[in-house]
Amino acid sequence: MKKALIIGGSRGLGLGLVGEHLRRGWHVTATVRGEAPELEQLRKEAPERLVIERIDISRPADVEALAMRLRGQAFDLLFLNAGIMAGRGTALVDVPDEDIVSIFMTNAISPVRVADQLLDVAGKGATLAFMSSILGSVSTNGDGRAELYRASKAALNSLILSFRARHADRTDLTILAMHPGVVRTAMGGPGAPLDIPTSVKGVADTLEKRTGTGGVAFVDYRNEVIAW
Ligand SMILES: NC(=O)c1ccc[n+]([C@@H]2O[C@H](COP(=O)([O-])OP(=O)(O)OC[C@H]3O[C@@H](n4cnc5c(N)ncnc54)[C@H](OP(=O)(O)O)[C@@H]3O)[C@@H](O)[C@H]2O)c1
């Protein structure tokens, strides 16, 4: 049975990815940092195939403890999904420094640190997917909107490429920066064009197609390549 580790599975796209992989017959370990009633409901439906762990990705001690608990396991998929929005609609000069630190830590630094700390549980031929965004594409930044979020995802993309270079010996790994589409979640808002099932089905299909191809790519939920 294929095994997935989904970081940030309490709600939104992460929760959707957990459900999609359970429907595809996978064993899933999902992380939360607080209450996650919808994920608990999924565990009731598939108690033998869903394990729930607790971490805040920006607390190194949480991640270290998780790495210890998972030691010896080999996951086929590590999905770094957790992310936040900050400063949308506010002039950069008015965004509090704490929000700037928080968005860069959560969206860029912590996912890559977590990937480093959990690399030992990435089985041979595994896929490491980071939830990026098309807004992280530097070369297609035409309108500049959501500039802080955009910069955090561009930083994530840069760190993904550095992660690939640092772990060049793991030629078996496929590493993806993933754009899920613009989706109706707490972050995407009610006016977003895509629903969660459409996005996560596309993301899971893309993961299946890309797994084993090696290298690093920036792709969307339709498996279309995005310019860095
Ligand atoms: N929705 C979109 O249109 C869209 C488009 C492009 C990219 N994305 C990206 O997709 C990912 C998921 O977004 P979403 O739309 O599903 O947002 P969401 O509904 O707001 O969910 C965000 C998830 O991230 C978790 N999280 C945030 N900070 C965390 C931390 N420090 N440690 C652990 N978990 C943390 C949340 O956990 P809690 O429940 O504990 O808060 C929640 O599970 C994000 O990386 C986002 O940037 C979304």
Side-chain angles (χ1 to χ4, degrees):
M1 191 186 297
K2 297 265 192 198
K3 292 182 67 172
L5 173 58
I6 298 177
I7 305 293
S10 59
R11 57 196 171 87
L13 289 165
L15 176 73
L17 284 168
V18 174
E20 185 64 26
H21 283 86
L22 289 174
R23 276 189 291 284
R24 291 177 187 221
W26 287 54
H27 182 282
V28 180
T29 300
T31 74
V32 300
R33 55 177 180 170
E35 296 300 304
E38 290 173 273
L39 188 65
E40 290 292 352
Q41 183 56 39
L42 284 184
R43 182 159 62 176
K44 283 189 190 129
E45 291 161 21
E48 70 296 344
R49 287 194 295 120
L50 176 56
V51 173
I52 301 177
E53 292 280 0
R54 206 166 271 264
I55 60 163
D56 181 319
I57 60 166
S58 295
R59 288 199 189 139
D62 283 11
V63 185
E64 205 177 305
L66 177 65
M68 294 279 278
R69 291 197 293 279
L70 297 179
R71 194 158 19 165
Q73 297 198 48
F75 290 92
D76 302 282
L77 170 67
L78 264 65
F79 205 120
L80 288 303
N81 168 70
I84 58 169
M85 172 64 77
R88 182 163 50 187
T90 306
L92 193 55
V93 70
D94 294 327
V95 181
D97 285 358
E98 308 86 80
D99 289 3
I100 295 175
V101 170
S102 176
I103 196 169
F104 274 92
M105 283 304 291
T106 309
N107 288 3
I109 308 294
S110 298
V112 179
R113 282 184 170 169
V114 172
D116 272 313
Q117 282 178 275
L118 296 180
L119 191 58
D120 284 348
V121 298
K124 195 166 169 46
T127 294
L128 259 74
F130 294 85
M131 198 64 106
S132 182
S133 167
I134 195 163
L135 295 180
S137 166
V138 172
S139 54
T140 66
N141 182 356
D143 62 20
R145 72 198 156 85
E147 60 191 307
L148 194 54
Y149 176 79
R150 192 187 270 280
S152 73
K153 292 293 187 180
L156 171 66
N157 285 358
S158 177
L159 290 167
I160 291 169
L161 292 173
S162 297
F163 177 90
R164 168 76 274 176
R166 267 193 289 114
H167 299 292
D169 57 317
R170 288 290 310 261
T171 50
D172 60 299
L173 296 178
T174 301
I175 298 174
L176 300 174
M178 179 69 71
H179 171 56
V182 180
V183 190
R184 291 191 290 280
T185 64
M187 186 187 294
L194 287 182
D195 61 16
I196 291 174
T198 305
S199 169
V200 297
K201 183 184 176 306
V203 169
D205 286 347
T206 300
L207 292 169
E208 277 182 15
K209 284 180 197 140
R210 292 266 167 186
T211 290
T213 57
V216 60
F218 185 16
V219 290
D220 74 5
Y221 70 105
R222 297 161 303 186
N223 197 21
E224 287 181 11
V225 171
I226 300 172
W228 299 97

